[in-house]
Every structure is written in C-alpha cells, then in structure tokens.
Amino acid sequence: MKKNVLFAAAVLALAGGSAMAEGRWQTSNLLQDPAFLPGWYGMLTATADGVAEAWDAPFEVYQVITDAPAGEYTLTANAFYRFGSNDYAKENMKDGANHHANIFLGTATTPVEGLFDKKQDGCPNSTGEANTAFGAGEYLNTVKLNHAGGDLRLGIVLKEYRADQWCCFDNFKLVGPAGEVAITNGDFAVGLSEMNKETGEKGAWDFLNVSLQAKDVDINKEGGANGCFRKTNASPYNFGQLIELPAGKYRFGVKSFYRDGNGNQSGWYIKLKGYERVEGESSYDRHVAGTEDASLFPLLYVAEDVEDFKPVSADEIADIIAAGKLYKETAVKCIFDEQLDVYPNNEPKSDVVAEGEHGYADSGFEHEAAMVFLKNPEMYRNYVEFELAAATKVWVGLKKDVNKPVHYWNPFRDFTLEKWVEGAGINNILADDENAPVEYYNLQGVRVLNPENGLYIVKQGKKVSKQIVK
C-alpha cells in the first residue's frame, strides 16, 4: 500500500502542474514486417486477393507517422464489417447497431460501414468479391482530424468478439496540409507472411525451434487467428529478425503473457483437447504459491549479431556476453501479474456451438486474450531495453527454449521497436498525450479499469488531471 500512496502523491503533484518531460519513446519504424505484414503494426488474420481481412477475431492494425506537421488530415479506406453470419448481421446491424469496427486517425474515429448498410443482396462474400467492390469505390470510409503536430497514429480496430464476424479493408490513403502522406503498403499489395511449409515464404522474420529447424508460429487457428498470434502446448520456439540500428537507446516490445499450464481457478483445470475437468493443482495455484518455474517462461531478447548468430542455448548466450557483445532478455509477464476481475481463458467452453460462441477449439480462444490486450493498452506490455554506442546489427525476437510444460499458453501481438528521443518539444508531448490510452486511478493510487461515480486521477500520456466521473 505504501507504494500506491507514493504513486498517488506523485500523480497528484503532476495533476497540479509541475514536471516537464525530458524525452519520450518514439516508434522508430525500423522494425521490419512488425505484424508479419510490411508497414503495419498490431495483428492481422489474413490477406488474400489484394485485400486484408480479419474474421472471427478482435484485431487492430496501425501505422505511426512520426513528427507529422500540424494541420488538418483526412484518412480514407475501403472497408466493411459484418457482425456474425450474413443473416444475423442483416437482422442485428440495423440503424447503426453493432458497428464495432472503426477506422481511426489520432483520437478521431468513425465506424466502418456495415456490409448490408446500403443493400441487402449482392454484397461481397469473399475477399475476391470484396476486392471487386472496393475497386468500384464501394464501402468508402472517411475520418478527419485537426492535428496539433507530432506523431500521428492511424489504422483500423475491432475490440469486440462474435463468432463469424468479418471485416475486410483496403486502400488506406492519408491527405495532410501539404498533400498526400505516404502510407507503407496501404493497399496491402504485399500480404501477410509467415514461415509457410508449402511456399517457404517468411518475410523478415526467421521462425525456428531449438534445433534451428523451421517452426511455424500459429498465425492461423480455427479459421482465423482469434485475435492473437500464439504458441502453446509444450512447443519450444525462437523467432526474430536481424536489423541494423543506428546508435541510440531502444526498447523492443510485445503484448504478451504466459501461463505455465491450464487453469485460471484454484484446485482444478480443464484437460487440454477435451472437456474433462481435472481436480488438482492449476496454473493459478502455482502462481499464488510462488512455485512457477522461471526457466520455462518465454523471453523477449536482443542479441548483437555474431556471424548470423541466432540465440538458442545458454552456452551460446554466455559466449556472446564473454566476448563483450550485447545480450539482454526480459521474461514475458505471467497472466496473473496483472490485476483483472476475470482473466482470459483458452480452455474449451462447451461441446455445443451456440450463436456467437465456439465449441471445442483446441485451445483456440485467443480472442479472449486479444480483447484484454486491445481494451487495456498498457496491460501485458513487455519490453527489453538496450543502448547502442554505434551502428550495430542485432537480433530482436521472442523465444521459449524448453519443451514443457504440456499445457502452456503464450498469446502475443503488436511487436514494436521504439527509440528514445531526448528533449521532446511541447507539440510532440501534446501529440503523444492525444494518442495515448486513458488510465484511471483512485486517490490511493490503485488503477481502476471501470471507474464509476467518484473522483479519480486520470492519466493520458504525460498529462495528469483530477476528474469527477459520473
């Protein structure tokens, strides 16, 4: 409690108006294919027929235009959203209801047009048909922003979940005060790539197992990615990319958590690949007792390149350190490290598939993790920080070296590489605040996810204030 009180005092001091920022973390745009997709950060299910799509999953893809000048900006994109199956969407998206997908530009958002908003028949039912409709100028969405100057974030997001929901989008175009602003791969001409056993395509990332053999990341699962990439069930992995960075201070990040087995409840868990309830020690029990095995946790890492080196074993890491080369790692957070009323769960819910629900999905409930990640931007964010004295080739990646435990769960999304910028100007600070997530704390300094009536400390980026919530 003492820590919270000190935090509250510090935040209240800022709310009264005091400290100036000495610097800030800025998206570097040096990470290649950050969402396994050129140019785009976040997470996407698939691309096909020149169109990006997400189905059966919450998702977000975005780009950051760094140091964008002040002025009015307009973002357009061809996009549609379907809430559930065709028949369900026709009945339940009337009069603007259930339009959950949004394109955004800084703090400005606009709901994506519903698939059946303007007509009930002859609507796209595949990515090929979506591509044809987009080419004819249909489903054009627009959002405008009067930007104060500084970094500008844009993209498309869907934070809710319903089985069979579907969103297609293409042709992002940004126009600012000086004309059109370049958006990398805004037409998705280069699609999603992973280590594909059939085609060999892999983009900028190398996907390996502990024996340096090709190892897929589960990008697609149960008809879609369910909102996150993931690894699970005793599978070791190591994927990363080689990148040359200028001198500077950096942090490599990912939204992710790890659970060292099944079970969010005490005393029981659901058996993997089935519905059998097993009485016994759960992952939650081990966390509470402090008996989790730290050597099993996935690691976010950075390693200075040594003749195409890929960090795998402790001996090789020791050799790098002994040679005076850079190696740093950070263990991914445990699912129970954050305070939630209900934790995401990948265990099967039912053997009966109801409207809007899944039945058995072989641990395919990543949409639960995705909703927590998207609705709580600062939760489960993991970083490894490092500093380079000169331009250096480094590996950045995520790995799990141990082939156990059998039921582990490790969803992840939104890889980022940020560079520390000293002495950020006031315009950049304001822009940062404008795009930052809003966090609420009570007067004791305890974070509140769903504030109700009362006085709260409200933090957005570097801006802090006291507000009454009604």
Side-chain angles (χ1 to χ4, degrees), residues 169-467:
F169 45 97
D170 200 0
N171 305 320
F172 278 79
K173 182 179 179 181
L174 179 65
V175 176
E180 187 168 349
V181 181
I183 296 178
T184 304
N185 196 27
D187 59 358
F188 300 95
V190 183
L192 189 75
S193 62
E194 60 177 301
M195 188 62 209
N196 187 298
K197 292 177 182 176
E198 295 180 1
T199 67
E201 295 176 357
K202 63 179 181 179
W205 299 83
D206 281 308
F207 298 90
L208 307 165
N209 62 17
V210 290
S211 301
L212 293 182
Q213 302 299 311
K215 179 70 178 179
D216 285 357
V217 170
D218 294 335
I219 290 180
N220 293 304
K221 186 70 178 176
E222 188 68 13
N226 280 320
C228 292
F229 308 120
R230 67 83 177 266
K231 291 304 296 179
T232 188
N233 197 25
S235 178
Y237 66 86
N238 180 1
F239 64 93
Q241 62 176 257
L242 181 63
I243 183 170
E244 184 167 4
L245 298 176
K249 182 179 177 182
Y250 297 88
R251 67 179 186 183
F252 175 56
V254 68
K255 293 270 286 189
S256 182
F257 62 70
Y258 172 73
R259 192 180 67 193
D260 76 340
N262 275 0
N264 286 0
Q265 308 298 320
S266 180
W268 62 273
Y269 57 91
I270 301 294
K271 189 175 181 180
L272 188 68
K273 298 188 177 181
Y275 300 98
E276 180 185 349
R277 174 170 165 153
V278 178
E279 304 298 326
E281 185 182 52
S282 66
S283 176
Y284 176 78
D285 292 329
R286 286 189 289 278
H287 179 78
V288 171
T291 56
E292 295 164 316
D293 187 342
S295 71
L296 304 182
F297 275 62
L299 300 170
L300 195 67
Y301 69 84
V302 56
E304 189 171 346
D305 182 49
V306 182
E307 298 179 356
D308 238 17
F309 173 77
K310 300 178 179 68
V312 176
S313 73
D315 288 342
E316 289 165 320
I317 292 168
D319 289 343
I320 285 187
I321 296 171
K325 303 293 185 181
L326 170 69
Y327 181 83
K328 295 186 75 174
E329 62 184 34
T330 299
V332 167
K333 292 181 179 180
C334 172
I335 185 175
F336 305 115
D337 282 347
E338 303 280 15
Q339 298 300 309
L340 290 170
D341 294 331
V342 179
Y343 287 94
N345 202 344
N346 70 329
E347 295 164 355
K349 300 287 191 300
S350 169
D351 56 358
V352 178
V353 180
E355 181 71 53
E357 294 291 341
H358 278 296
Y360 168 63
D362 186 13
S363 302
F365 290 89
E366 271 65 39
H367 64 267
E368 291 206 358
M371 284 191 290
V372 169
F373 289 159
L374 289 169
K375 293 181 179 182
N376 303 281
E378 296 307 311
M379 278 192 174
Y380 297 116
R381 173 59 72 178
N382 306 267
Y383 293 108
V384 57
E385 292 188 16
F386 58 100
E387 194 160 0
L388 304 175
T392 308
K393 286 185 178 181
V394 297
W395 282 93
V396 290
L398 184 66
K399 68 192 185 93
K400 186 178 189 304
D401 293 335
V402 186
N403 193 28
K404 59 183 182 181
V406 239
H407 296 156
Y408 85 75
W409 186 30
N410 178 210
F412 49 88
R413 66 174 301 279
D414 197 19
F415 288 95
T416 57
L417 179 63
E418 298 167 286
K419 186 174 182 179
W420 182 253
V421 179
E422 297 286 354
I426 186 65
N427 284 342
N428 282 336
I429 293 172
L430 290 174
D432 235 12
D433 293 340
E434 177 180 279
N435 298 315
V438 177
E439 300 172 9
Y440 293 87
Y441 297 85
N442 63 25
L443 298 184
Q444 287 71 49
V446 178
R447 188 172 177 183
V448 179
L449 296 182
N450 299 299
E452 297 179 348
N453 294 350
L455 180 63
Y456 292 88
I457 302 165
V458 181
K459 179 177 180 292
Q460 185 177 24
K462 298 174 181 65
K463 294 194 302 184
V464 182
S465 62
K466 289 179 284 186
Q467 295 181 20

Side-chain angles (χ1 to χ4, degrees), residues 82-94 98 116 162-165 355-356:
R82 187 188 74 196
F83 181 56
S85 64
N86 285 343
D87 290 340
Y88 191 87
K90 287 178 181 179
E91 184 63 30
N92 291 278
M93 293 187 71
K94 296 175 181 177
N98 295 312
F116 304 108
R162 185 167 191 86
D164 295 326
Q165 68 182 352
E355 181 71 53

